[in-house]
Amino acid sequence: VWFLIIIALCIAALNACSSTRVLMQTADNKPSAKRTAAPAIDVSTFDTAAVKQALQTEVYGPIPSLGTVTISDRRVINESVLNGLATLEELTLTVAPDFGDGPQSEDSFIMVLLSPNDADGPVPVIMMETFCPNHDTIPLPGITKPTGDYFSCDGDGMMSSVFGFFFGRYITTPPIEDILGRGYALATTYSSSYVPDRASTALPLLRGRYNNARAIGMWAYQFSAMSHALKSDVRFNKTVAYGHSRYGKSALFAAAFDDTIDGVIAHQSGTGGASLSKGKPGETVAQITEGYPHWFTASYTEDTLTIDQHHLLALIAPRPILLGNARRDVWSDPEGAFLAAKAATPVYKAKGGKGLSATKLGDFKPADSIAYWIRPGTHGVVKEDWPGFLAFMDAHFGD
Ligand code: GCU
């Protein structure tokens, strides 16, 4: 308990320091003049295949193609949860990713699915990758707990209270009733039980089994597998990849390489996500590759990049993206995400989308195809965030 209290005090102190920096940086609610913006993409020379290749070689490592995906088990846990609002199911997806030599040997992961009972026809699904195991993300009886080591966010555990206090109550569990009540289905997976989020266990697995891919790439692959499985079900018509922070990175990467994913909500995805890698404040490329060597390829360095994260966003065009941010989250660099969105906008426009039309950071336009959301506060998922996410969903995927 004392250890956790000391950690909590350290985080609070760090937050206080970083907030001063960011408040200064964004006090006028506009991108700071000193920051170097990425040049807007020239559509006439934008080469999708070359950008995909560069992103794999320079940033993320290889991403497999789908190979085979089958629903090897489907268990209806309860046909009437949340006062009859939804059906709760647990599906096992058996996958065999393909790195170019044909599908590998199979492995599997679990996806929990909540679908609205009163739908008139097929509905969009929000697919989530989460920090917490499925039974914590969806706190309803009957969901399988992961085997082996896992990060427990169980309701009354000390970790859960500390976690929720600093990162907001919605970091663990999204507002399920609101999501289902608005007519969307929700599919979640705990990615760490597929590729662990720990360098010492992930790296040998990635080298030995997944062609030296990296965790962000394999988590992106999971989004694709989920999208594929969901689209084989007549109850669903669209898939939107949602992720906070590290899973915002995997959600963007997944949609950039898989156009069956119809939209992205990437909240505070930061370095290696929506924020420009070059010349960024907050987390540098050198820091992220040192702290998380299992996330990116070892050759990810700021000096050698021939592309930047606006190219990643442009690959998703014209499909809608929501970029979530918080003013004091200097580590994630909200301004870098805004500048990336701006630089990707010509590609969106060329494909018939709006891209980003906001001219300043606080100008939230949910119907933009790159909608930029920023709120006060720090890193996490708080009660103000989901209304913004759902406004974006309604604007692009509502009836
Ligand atoms: C760390 C990491 C970030 C990441 C974040 C998260 O802070 O440095 O890059 O986005 O964890 O996933 O919450």
Side-chain angles (χ1 to χ4, degrees):
V1 168
W2 277 111
F3 173 73
L4 288 172
I5 290 172
I6 290 166
I7 297 277
L9 289 173
C10 292
I11 294 174
L14 284 173
N15 261 334
C17 298
S18 68
S19 57
T20 324
R21 279 170 60 199
V22 180
L23 283 177
M24 281 162 52
Q25 210 178 35
T26 56
D28 61 355
N29 206 21
K30 285 192 196 113
S32 66
K34 277 182 264 150
R35 181 80 187 263
T36 322
I41 294 176
D42 176 352
V43 177
S44 65
T45 57
F46 185 69
D47 178 345
T48 306
V51 168
K52 283 187 173 169
Q53 190 51 52
L55 282 166
Q56 292 178 86
T57 333
E58 298 176 17
V59 183
Y60 298 100
I63 185 167
S65 53
L66 205 55
T68 60
V69 177
T70 50
I71 299 172
S72 50
D73 189 45
R74 177 191 293 275
R75 187 166 67 89
V76 177
I77 299 176
N78 192 335
E79 282 178 341
S80 178
V81 291
L82 311 170
N83 294 321
L85 189 62
T87 294
L88 175 65
E89 291 162 79
E90 192 171 85
L91 279 65
T92 304
L93 304 192
T94 295
V95 294
D98 183 350
F99 285 95
D101 301 330
Q104 297 197 306
S105 58
E106 293 176 336
D107 48 25
S108 61
F109 64 91
I110 289 178
M111 173 174 87
V112 171
L113 179 61
L114 274 166
S115 45
N117 282 338
D118 64 353
D120 291 337
V123 298
V125 195
I126 300 177
M127 310 183 289
M128 306 181 78
E129 292 189 345
T130 56
F131 288 81
C132 300
N134 295 332
H135 69 281
D136 286 327
T137 305
I138 309 288
L140 293 170
I143 295 172
T144 309
K145 291 189 179 182
T147 48
D149 251 8
Y150 64 87
F151 182 72
S152 174
C153 312
D154 280 340
D156 49 5
M158 180 66 188
M159 192 59 212
S160 171
S161 319
V162 175
F163 200 53
F165 180 75
F166 284 101
F167 298 112
R169 64 182 273 220
Y170 291 113
I171 189 131
T172 312
T173 301
I176 299 171
E177 272 104 333
D178 292 350
I179 296 170
L180 272 288
R182 298 275 262 265
Y184 305 114
L186 186 63
T188 72
T189 196
Y190 177 54
S191 310
S192 288
S193 61
Y194 184 55
V195 171
D197 192 10
R198 186 183 293 146
S200 58
T201 38
L203 282 171
L205 178 74
L206 291 162
R207 289 196 189 108
R209 182 167 175 81
Y210 297 120
N211 197 34
N212 212 15
R214 286 294 180 267
I216 301 283
M218 292 312 295
W219 296 335
Y221 172 79
Q222 283 186 281
F223 270 126
S224 284
M226 287 165 79
S227 178
H228 181 84
L230 289 162
K231 286 202 166 171
S232 69
D233 187 324
V234 290
R235 292 175 296 168
F236 310 115
N237 55 8
K238 305 268 179 191
T239 54
V240 176
Y242 164 95
H244 170 244
S245 214
R246 62 202 67 185
Y247 304 115
K249 306 179 207 295
S250 55
L252 289 167
F253 187 43
F257 281 71
D258 177 359
D259 56 19
T260 74
I261 297 174
D262 301 285
V264 183
I265 299 174
H267 186 50
Q268 302 177 323
S269 59
T271 309
S275 299
L276 295 170
S277 297
K278 289 185 193 160
K280 76 185 292 299
E283 186 176 31
T284 61
V285 171
Q287 282 167 324
I288 205 169
T289 51
E290 193 191 334
Y292 303 93
H294 57 303
W295 285 2
F296 300 99
T297 170
S299 49
Y300 184 25
T301 64
E302 200 174 321
D303 297 341
T304 48
L305 286 173
T306 61
I307 38 87
D308 208 332
Q309 296 307 104
H310 56 308
H311 291 100
L312 179 79
L313 301 186
L315 287 178
I316 303 171
R319 289 164 289 151
I321 308 177
L322 178 121
L323 300 178
N325 297 275
R327 283 195 184 281
R328 284 159 57 209
D329 184 15
V330 73
W331 190 244
S332 296
D333 183 20
E335 186 185 72
F338 189 84
L339 295 173
K342 222 167 139 183
T345 289
V347 180
Y348 268 81
K349 288 194 168 149
K351 295 193 171 185
K354 263 195 203 153
L356 173 90
S357 74
T359 53
K360 54 186 184 169
L361 263 53
D363 201 3
F364 179 44
K365 302 194 174 192
D368 273 8
S369 37
I370 311 182
Y372 184 91
W373 162 253
I374 191 162
R375 58 155 168 85
T378 55
H379 200 68
V381 194
V382 301
K383 75 171 176 0
E384 292 82 8
D385 287 323
W386 270 95
F389 302 163
L390 289 172
F392 165 82
M393 283 300 296
D394 289 352
H396 297 278
F397 301 99
D399 282 342

